Amino acid sequence: MRLLAPFLHDPKSPLLFNSGTFLLLFTVFIAAWALLRKKDVLRLGWLLAFSLYYYYRCNGVFMLTLIALTAVDWAIALRVHREEHPGRRKLWLSASIVLNLAALGFFKYTNFLLRNVSAVTGQAFEPLDIFLPIGISFHIFQSISYLVDVYRRQYAPTPSLFEYALFLSFFPQIVAGPIVRAPEFFSQIKPLREPEAGEVAAGFYRVIQGVVKKALIADYVGRYSDLVFGAPQTYSGPEVLLGIYAYSLQIYFDFSGYSDMALGLARILGVRISENFDSPYRATSITDFWRRWHISLSSWLRDYLYVSLGGNRKGPLRQYLNLMLTMLLGGLWHGASWNFVVWGGLHGVGLAVHKLVASHFPDRGERWRSAAGWL
């Protein structure tokens, strides 16, 4: 049993890309991957097996949640595509969205809801022992985007459960994104593209770049911000301000570093994933910031929430309200606590104010305005 221990799920030690265990496992995986060259079916089968194993190492038996949602969503997408009656099509889509959000709500928001009920009723709160599967927010959003696109007739669903399972469980991006769209993924595995030597080298370089960001910069800077945030009253004003800036660096290098590793690993396998960060701290407005920060999420919120609410098609006041609702829900998606809701609300206000100002004072490219916006 001791020999198997390193290969079993450990809830206290999730399998991170920058860990030695993952490096060992990935070495074994890529060696077998190389041996299966020009055997696409076996390669993709090996990739799916490793992806599910990786998800198991992160979540244990809750890997079954991913498998169950995969099978149900795949079947519903086929039904939505075949159905001609508008009402029944919408009913099937609504059922799938409710099912996915119910799963996300149970794991992520049950204790948040019970905590607030207890606060209102004055009763003592005893949190339930609910395990939150790592990456569940990402693969559920990815699945919802697939179902909505099929409903909108933007593309036909894949008839292969195997391919859809691979789409949702693809190990480089399942835990921390980016959120991948179906056409982007399926077009690269049918047929599976063999990466050139230069692409493989670029992929390894991107992985190293991500490890440096995550392990050397984010984790190091995070030590200072953790100290300050742990007891801010014991530090001076400038020290607290420095802690805030340290946290800004920490969260960027941590998240973008993990995205770099995901993009690099995918590129080694011949799959290109869209960029998730584009120098967000160089943005010259809050709107520009959200075009650069966590691009896959911000574009998802725009295409599947903001547009569905009406976007900017029903006048400026409705547009501002849609921005607020989108960012409030986007904040809650980040975490089950009121500080995330407030954070989303602040960004929603910022986006609405910028839209209002931009509509009355159009940008003519003045350098001073860009500098002021950046500051």
Side-chain angles (χ1 to χ4, degrees), residues 28-302:
V28 174
F29 165 78
I30 205 67
W33 177 267
L35 291 174
L36 296 174
R37 186 179 181 184
K38 296 183 179 181
K39 299 177 182 178
D40 285 5
V41 175
L42 293 178
R43 262 193 169 185
L44 291 175
W46 173 235
L47 177 58
L48 177 60
F50 185 81
S51 294
L52 292 175
Y53 170 71
Y54 177 76
Y55 197 73
Y56 158 76
R57 282 298 310 270
C58 293
N59 296 307
V61 295
F62 291 97
M63 176 189 70
L64 299 176
T65 304
L66 170 63
I67 294 175
L69 287 174
T70 298
V72 172
D73 289 342
W74 170 77
I76 290 179
L78 291 174
R79 181 59 185 264
V80 169
H81 181 67
R82 289 195 302 264
E83 183 62 63
E84 296 297 333
H85 189 275
R88 286 193 288 268
R89 293 185 75 244
K90 184 174 290 187
L91 183 62
W92 279 108
L93 174 67
S94 300
S96 66
I97 292 177
V98 168
L99 177 65
N100 279 276
L101 294 182
L104 181 62
F106 172 75
F107 289 109
K108 195 169 185 177
Y109 301 106
T110 297
N111 280 322
F112 173 66
L113 178 62
L114 294 176
R115 184 183 297 111
N116 284 280
V117 171
S118 298
V120 172
T121 60
Q123 298 177 348
F125 171 64
E126 290 292 335
L128 301 179
D129 185 18
I130 299 176
F131 178 81
L132 176 61
I134 297 173
I136 188 172
S137 299
F138 287 94
H139 74 70
I140 282 181
F141 267 34
Q142 197 160 299
S143 193
I144 289 176
S145 69
Y146 173 82
L147 288 158
V148 172
D149 287 347
V150 169
Y151 172 80
R152 291 173 176 173
R153 304 285 192 196
Q154 294 184 356
Y155 50 78
T158 174
S160 169
L161 176 59
F162 170 82
E163 290 180 356
Y164 188 67
L166 190 56
F167 164 62
L168 283 191
S169 65
F170 187 51
F171 79 88
Q173 49 79 222
I174 189 174
V175 167
I179 301 171
V180 177
R181 305 289 178 94
E184 176 185 3
F185 182 79
F186 288 134
S187 64
Q188 298 184 77
I189 65 169
K190 296 189 301 184
L192 185 63
R193 190 174 62 86
E194 185 68 32
E196 298 178 356
E199 288 185 283
V200 175
F204 276 112
Y205 178 79
R206 192 69 182 267
V207 172
I208 294 171
Q209 185 180 23
V211 171
V212 170
K213 282 184 178 181
K214 171 74 174 69
L216 298 185
I217 301 178
D219 291 353
Y220 181 77
V221 173
R223 294 180 183 179
Y224 179 76
S225 61
D226 288 345
L227 288 173
V228 174
F229 282 22
Q233 70 277 8
T234 63
Y235 294 88
S236 66
E239 288 173 330
V240 172
L241 183 62
L242 187 60
I244 293 172
Y245 284 122
Y247 180 75
S248 299
L249 293 175
Q250 175 193 359
I251 194 171
Y252 168 69
F253 283 111
D254 187 283
F255 199 0
S256 70
Y258 217 84
S259 291
D260 284 342
M261 287 184 268
L263 268 66
L265 290 169
R267 193 167 183 181
I268 292 170
L269 303 177
V271 177
R272 284 182 174 269
I273 297 177
S274 298
E275 294 289 340
N276 211 23
F277 291 88
D278 181 18
S279 303
Y281 291 150
R282 293 175 59 189
T284 56
S285 70
I286 191 68
T287 301
D288 187 27
F289 174 82
W290 276 104
R291 293 191 186 110
R292 296 167 175 264
W293 178 279
H294 202 348
I295 298 169
S296 65
L297 175 64
S298 58
S299 62
W300 193 99
L301 291 172
R302 178 197 65 209

